[in-house]
Amino acid sequence: MMIAYSHFGDVVSFDTTYRKNQSGRPFAMFLGVNHHKQTTIFGVALLYDECAETFIWLFDTFVKAMLGKKPKTIVTDQDPAMAKALTSQWPETCHQLCIWHLYQNAAKRLSGVFAKFQEFAKDFSSCLYDYEEEQEFFLAWNAMLEKYDLKDNDWLIRMFDLRKKWALVYGRETFCADMTTTQPSESMNNVIKNYVSYQHNLLRFFEHFQRLIEDHHYEELKADFKATQSTPSLSFPVEILKDAASIYIPTVFKVFQDELCKAYDYAMQIFDHIGIMTEYKLTNNKKQFQHTIRYDFSDNTVICSCRNFEFTGILCSHAFKVLSSKDIKKIPIQYILKRWKKSAKLGNSEFVFANTINEDPKVSLARRYKDLCRLQTQVATKAAETEETYKIARTALAKILEDVDTYLKGNNIGKSISKIVETTTVPSANEKIKGIKNKKRVRGKSTRPRNALERVRKKKNVALGEPSQQQSHASEIAHNDVSSNFNSQDLLNLPFNIVPGYHGDHVHAIPQEHQCFRFNDNYIIDNNKNI
């Protein structure tokens, strides 16, 4: 979780609505989205209550566990205790309120207005999402209050005072990884129900929750593998799409491609031109809003009034319209966000090697080996594509190997590593492993319990005098055991007579004074009756 936070901890969704534990206490989760836009878990905590002091302790402890790194943005529900703790502990972090929760609260507080006026839901949503300029937002908000006679509504007055935490006209300038709600937390609450139960105590609760973390990590690894082994299909073969396909994870590339396609629906005209800066106005027949784009010729910088790049980290369709008119065939480097790249998880080694001071030497060796193998595989995969990159990688690896050998010989580390490797060998079958108790063999019935239908059939067979399935199975085992334990040479030395003529239906012809048993469809007769 620490490594995931080091890569994708810029935006965090925090929620405590889940109470699926035996004591009924709040279960807090720090969640985010990875480069595949999958929900990822940064940390969890079982709290005693939800007061401000508890949240202050929690936020402080979380930052200490993450080596002092705080998120740029955190999304929560409208909880005063959370807000107080965040203001106290993370004043530099942008606190955004979950728009979904805000809309649900509006539906409760203004239920009469929603029921009476069908257009109110549309006007209220426009104030939440649509406006790009603060003045436009003010005009729309006041018009809504006037239209539905809500100027004196206490809840709306309080919401307007908190407008910078929920209105996108303010939030667009803050990076949120396209996450405006605590929906990852709500989705995770539903997923957890498949792993834990209310009957679980504290220990079992976290044991089962660990399985959830491992399953999420496995899904991320599968997505990583798929991204490296496949190439996304292009809507049309243009250079900028090919460039994006080589950089972005498929999930993000699809968003990029959709924005590029939407660019062709806009009409563009020059509004102003001063020096190296040109201002454009873009309009779309399907929408009533007009977007303003400022383009800098010196470094191909585009600034759009929609602030889509600042908010999601992906260029908007308006910016693509301007860039395509300037014959830009590559994504400007300043608009490639690392968290959406295929190589998003490279770097941040301080989290990988944190808290390893008192680590077991064998565990440290295995961890370092695993990390180096991962990096080496990535280097080999990319460097093998061309002869030039192959030569660069091979020369660099050879130099690294030479430097490592020199260091190991100079510090006599090679022998100590050999000793560690020797101690990790697998013991022989006769050697007892210290500290591990041998599990005692439990003797008992190996057959599974019968269901109701099988029990009824057994009673019916007994009533008819037919052998049960278990008796037939036992007879077959006995027959196989006898057949497998004897051969022809052994039978010559036994004091038995083999009567090949006695088969199946003729067994009744054997004289009663003789004992017999069956062997390979023949009957062996004991003249001495000593079987």
Side-chain angles (χ1 to χ4, degrees):
M1 289 191 283
M2 289 181 63
I3 297 177
Y5 183 76
S6 70
H7 297 306
F8 311 112
D10 43 7
V11 182
V12 171
S13 170
F14 179 74
D15 188 46
T16 60
T17 59
Y18 185 77
R19 294 171 181 267
K20 199 74 171 178
N21 53 80
Q22 197 175 49
S23 59
R25 300 296 180 183
F27 186 65
M29 293 184 293
F30 295 89
L31 305 176
V33 291
N34 60 16
H35 53 326
H36 299 287
K37 290 201 169 185
Q38 299 170 329
T39 300
T40 184
I41 303 171
F42 300 141
V44 297
L46 192 62
L47 305 178
Y48 183 79
D49 55 28
E50 295 180 272
C51 66
E53 290 73 17
T54 299
F55 287 128
I56 289 174
W57 169 85
L58 178 61
F59 294 145
D60 185 54
T61 303
F62 179 78
V63 169
K64 288 180 180 178
M66 298 303 173
L67 305 182
K69 179 180 178 180
K70 298 178 182 179
K72 296 179 181 178
T73 306
I74 185 169
V75 182
T76 72
D77 59 12
Q78 192 179 348
D79 189 308
M82 285 185 195
K84 181 179 178 181
L86 287 170
T87 303
S88 172
Q89 302 305 111
W90 297 354
E92 63 274 24
T93 298
C94 179
H95 180 203
Q96 295 292 319
L97 296 179
C98 171
I99 294 181
W100 183 83
H101 277 103
L102 181 68
Y103 200 93
Q104 295 301 311
N105 289 334
K108 294 177 183 178
R109 305 271 186 171
L110 306 172
S111 57
V113 182
F114 276 95
K116 185 177 181 180
F117 303 100
Q118 294 183 353
E119 295 183 355
F120 178 75
K122 180 180 178 181
D123 293 339
F124 186 74
S125 297
S126 295
C127 293
L128 291 175
Y129 297 103
D130 292 343
Y131 298 101
E132 298 177 356
E133 301 295 335
E134 186 178 30
Q135 188 61 33
E136 294 176 351
F137 169 76
F138 284 154
L139 293 175
W141 182 265
N142 292 328
M144 181 188 70
L145 298 181
E146 184 73 26
K147 181 178 179 180
Y148 301 104
D149 193 20
L150 295 171
K151 291 183 178 180
D152 298 327
N153 186 278
D154 293 336
W155 185 78
L156 287 176
I157 292 174
R158 292 197 304 271
M159 285 296 96
F160 186 75
D161 293 337
L162 298 173
R163 62 188 180 277
K164 292 186 178 180
K165 290 187 177 183
W166 54 263
L168 288 188
V169 66
Y170 302 100
R172 292 183 190 278
E173 297 184 3
T174 302
F175 180 72
C176 289
D178 201 17
M179 187 167 59
T180 60
T181 70
T182 56
Q183 189 61 37
S185 299
E186 302 298 330
S187 301
M188 188 61 65
N189 287 338
N190 294 326
V191 173
I192 293 178
K193 297 176 184 178
N194 300 324
Y195 289 83
V196 299
S197 170
Y198 183 79
Q199 278 92 23
H200 289 163
N201 58 29
L202 185 61
L203 180 60
R204 290 194 64 195
F205 180 88
F206 280 104
E207 285 178 350
H208 287 284
F209 190 80
Q210 181 63 32
R211 292 193 299 113
L212 185 150
I213 296 175
E214 292 171 355
D215 289 348
H216 270 66
H217 182 60
Y218 179 65
E219 292 299 322
E220 182 177 326
L221 292 177
K222 286 200 303 184
D224 286 341
F225 179 79
K226 184 178 179 180
T228 57
Q229 301 298 318
S230 61
T231 302
S233 58
L234 309 183
S235 297
F236 39 92
V238 295
E239 290 300 320
I240 195 168
L241 273 183
K242 294 179 181 178
D243 185 40
S246 65
I247 294 172
Y248 291 125
I249 286 291
T251 307
V252 178
F253 170 77
K254 185 178 183 303
V255 178
F256 182 96
Q257 184 171 246
D258 291 343
E259 290 291 334
L260 183 65
C261 292
K262 288 189 293 184
Y264 292 92
D265 291 334
Y266 285 93
M268 182 180 67
Q269 61 179 356
I270 298 177
F271 182 76
D272 194 10
H273 179 77
I274 303 175
I276 58 175
M277 187 72 68
T278 303
E279 185 174 309
Y280 298 88
K281 294 291 184 179
L282 273 71
T283 55
N284 189 326
N285 294 331
K286 300 178 182 179
K287 296 182 180 180
Q288 59 178 340
F289 301 104
Q290 190 178 55
H291 301 280
T292 303
I293 308 292
R294 296 180 179 87
Y295 175 71
D296 189 339
F297 287 89
S298 62
D299 55 1
N300 293 327
T301 299
V302 286
I303 301 174
C304 182
S305 58
C306 75
R307 301 289 181 180
N308 190 72
F309 177 77
E310 289 80 1
F311 187 69
T312 67
I314 302 172
L315 282 173
C316 60
S317 55
H318 324 119
F320 285 131
K321 183 69 174 182
V322 175
L323 291 175
S324 62
S325 68
K326 303 301 177 183
D327 199 26
I328 305 297
K329 300 184 182 298
K330 297 285 185 180
I331 306 172
I333 190 65
Q334 64 268 32
Y335 296 113
I336 301 176
L337 206 62
K338 182 184 177 183
R339 69 143 23 245
W340 299 131
K341 295 172 63 177
K342 294 179 180 179
S343 58
K345 294 193 288 187
L346 293 179
N348 294 327
S349 59
E350 66 272 13
F351 279 85
V352 178
F353 301 113
N355 301 325
T356 60
I357 299 175
N358 298 321
E359 192 175 45
D360 185 272
K362 300 175 188 177
V363 177
S364 297
L365 179 62
R367 175 182 51 75
R368 292 193 296 267
Y369 179 82
K370 180 180 178 181
D371 187 57
L372 290 174
C373 285
R374 178 180 60 82
L375 292 175
Q376 184 180 3
T377 302
Q378 293 177 355
V379 171
T381 302
K382 295 182 178 181
E385 293 183 359
T386 65
E387 189 67 26
E388 290 74 14
T389 55
Y390 163 74
K391 292 179 180 179
I392 293 172
R394 198 181 191 288
T395 302
L397 290 174
K399 179 65 168 60
I400 292 173
L401 181 61
E402 182 181 351
D403 293 342
V404 170
D405 285 337
T406 303
Y407 181 84
L408 294 177
K409 291 178 181 178
N411 293 273
N412 295 323
I413 298 178
K415 294 182 179 180
S416 62
I417 293 178
S418 300
K419 291 180 180 179
I420 293 176
V421 173
E422 290 175 1
T423 58
T424 59
T425 56
V426 179
S428 62
N430 298 325
E431 184 180 353
K432 186 176 180 181
I433 302 176
K434 185 178 180 180
I436 300 179
K437 295 181 179 180
N438 294 327
K439 184 179 180 181
K440 295 182 179 180
R441 182 178 179 182
V442 180
R443 297 185 179 274
K445 294 183 179 180
S446 60
T447 56
R448 64 175 176 82
R450 296 185 183 88
N451 56 37
L453 181 60
E454 290 174 332
R455 288 196 296 268
V456 172
R457 286 178 177 174
K458 181 183 177 183
K459 291 179 180 179
K460 184 177 179 181
N461 293 338
V462 171
L464 297 175
E466 298 179 0
S468 65
Q469 184 179 0
Q470 184 176 1
Q471 291 172 340
S472 302
H473 181 62
S475 300
E476 183 180 353
I477 293 175
H479 169 249
N480 292 338
D481 289 343
V482 171
S483 301
S484 60
N485 292 333
F486 291 93
N487 54 40
S488 299
Q489 187 62 33
D490 293 331
L491 293 174
L492 294 176
N493 301 323
L494 294 175
F496 304 143
N497 295 327
I498 301 179
V499 186
Y502 293 108
H503 296 286
D505 297 335
H506 299 91
V507 67
H508 64 276
I510 300 175
Q512 295 181 0
E513 64 269 15
H514 299 302
Q515 300 277 348
C516 69
F517 68 89
R518 190 174 179 180
F519 176 76
N520 288 344
D521 293 330
N522 295 305
Y523 286 88
I524 300 175
I525 301 175
D526 178 18
N527 297 322
N528 300 320
K529 302 180 182 181
N530 57 5
I531 293 180

